[in-house]
Amino acid sequence: MTTGRQQSDFDFEVGVAEAAPADWHEFLQTVPTADYSHTSHWHDSICGNRTGARQLWLTVRQDGRLIGGQGAVLAPSQRRLLGILPLQRLESSVEGTSGGPVLHSALPDPMQDQMFSRIVAAFLGRRPSGLASAAIALNPLSEARFGKLLRGQPGWERQDSPTAMVSLDGGLEVVERQRMVMNKRNERNRGLR
């Protein structure tokens, strides 16, 4: 489903679909900030293992060529309000991974800024009505480039997560002994239960 042309300084189409576009993986090759959690494989895995989960893909095209987009998962939350009311969660960053918009790196910065803001607004606009939330967690490279654009965006509450990334340099033993302080080990162990 295409939402139509956006009136702006730059002419591009924004589309919404329930499946990744056929040229998504080719497009990701043009995005140095993309990681595995941006792939359709990741979204297929999440939806294949979560009851009631389905995919949402926002895409930006210019003259038919994919130049930006964002994948997300809409799923019932495992938490319930007051123990009985189900919550819906639209998230582009599932299970602690990064997500958010990805944009072709050859585009001019002003166009990237405008596309990022429009994709984020469209993402928030797709949040279901009722008891629902929408979440995006940017990876460090995207945060450095686009984090400032999320500040002041209506409808969003920013929460910094400075402990989201742990360098794996040096191997498992170095990480376990030198980088994982006791509280981080406890968090990891709770997550494995």
Side-chain angles (χ1 to χ4, degrees), residues 92-113:
S92 181
S93 47
V94 180
E95 301 295 338
T97 63
S98 60
V102 285
L103 309 169
H104 195 294
S105 62
L107 299 172
D109 285 352
M111 185 175 188
Q112 286 187 20
D113 291 352

Side-chain angles (χ1 to χ4, degrees), residues 4-161:
R5 289 201 178 271
Q6 303 293 316
Q7 295 302 314
S8 66
D9 297 344
F10 303 100
D11 189 28
F12 54 82
E13 293 179 33
V14 177
V16 178
E18 293 182 8
D23 51 352
W24 185 257
H25 287 280
E26 180 183 336
F27 160 68
L28 287 182
Q29 301 303 309
T30 70
V31 183
T33 59
D35 54 34
Y36 188 76
S37 59
H38 288 106
T39 67
S40 62
H41 305 300
W42 176 246
H43 291 81
D44 291 343
S45 296
I46 296 297
C47 290
N49 289 290
R50 276 195 177 174
T51 303
R54 62 184 199 270
Q55 296 182 40
L56 171 73
W57 292 87
L58 300 171
T59 57
V60 178
R61 294 187 178 273
Q62 186 176 48
D63 301 322
R65 185 174 64 111
L66 187 59
I67 58 172
Q70 175 178 318
V73 172
L74 175 62
S77 175
Q78 295 176 359
R79 294 179 31 203
R80 292 177 173 264
L81 184 64
L82 303 174
I84 55 170
L85 298 173
L87 304 172
Q88 290 280 346
R89 187 163 171 87
L90 177 62
E91 54 191 329
S92 181
S93 47
V94 180
E95 301 295 338
T97 63
S98 60
V102 285
L103 309 169
H104 195 294
S105 62
L107 299 172
D109 285 352
M111 185 175 188
Q112 286 187 20
D113 291 352
Q114 191 172 69
M115 285 174 46
F116 181 91
S117 295
R118 288 251 171 98
I119 291 170
V120 166
F123 177 73
L124 184 60
R126 301 302 295 189
R127 180 182 62 197
S129 60
L131 298 172
S133 66
I136 295 175
L138 302 176
N139 66 29
L141 292 173
S142 292
E143 176 64 33
R145 170 67 180 87
F146 298 109
K148 67 184 181 294
L149 297 177
L150 284 175
R151 292 181 193 99
Q153 281 271 354
W156 289 99
E157 178 183 316
R158 288 227 359 127
Q159 296 177 348
D160 290 329
S161 181

Side-chain angles (χ1 to χ4, degrees), residues 139-193:
N139 66 29
L141 292 173
S142 292
E143 176 64 33
R145 170 67 180 87
F146 298 109
K148 67 184 181 294
L149 297 177
L150 284 175
R151 292 181 193 99
Q153 281 271 354
W156 289 99
E157 178 183 316
R158 288 227 359 127
Q159 296 177 348
D160 290 329
S161 181
T163 60
M165 303 297 285
V166 175
S167 171
L168 301 179
D169 291 341
L172 183 60
E173 224 172 272
V174 170
V175 171
E176 181 74 22
R177 293 185 183 180
Q178 295 178 9
R179 295 192 187 105
M180 296 283 285
V181 295
M182 184 55 85
N183 60 339
K184 285 292 160 213
R185 280 192 212 107
N186 291 342
E187 288 177 23
R188 179 206 56 200
N189 292 340
R190 276 193 300 274
L192 293 175
R193 290 183 196 153

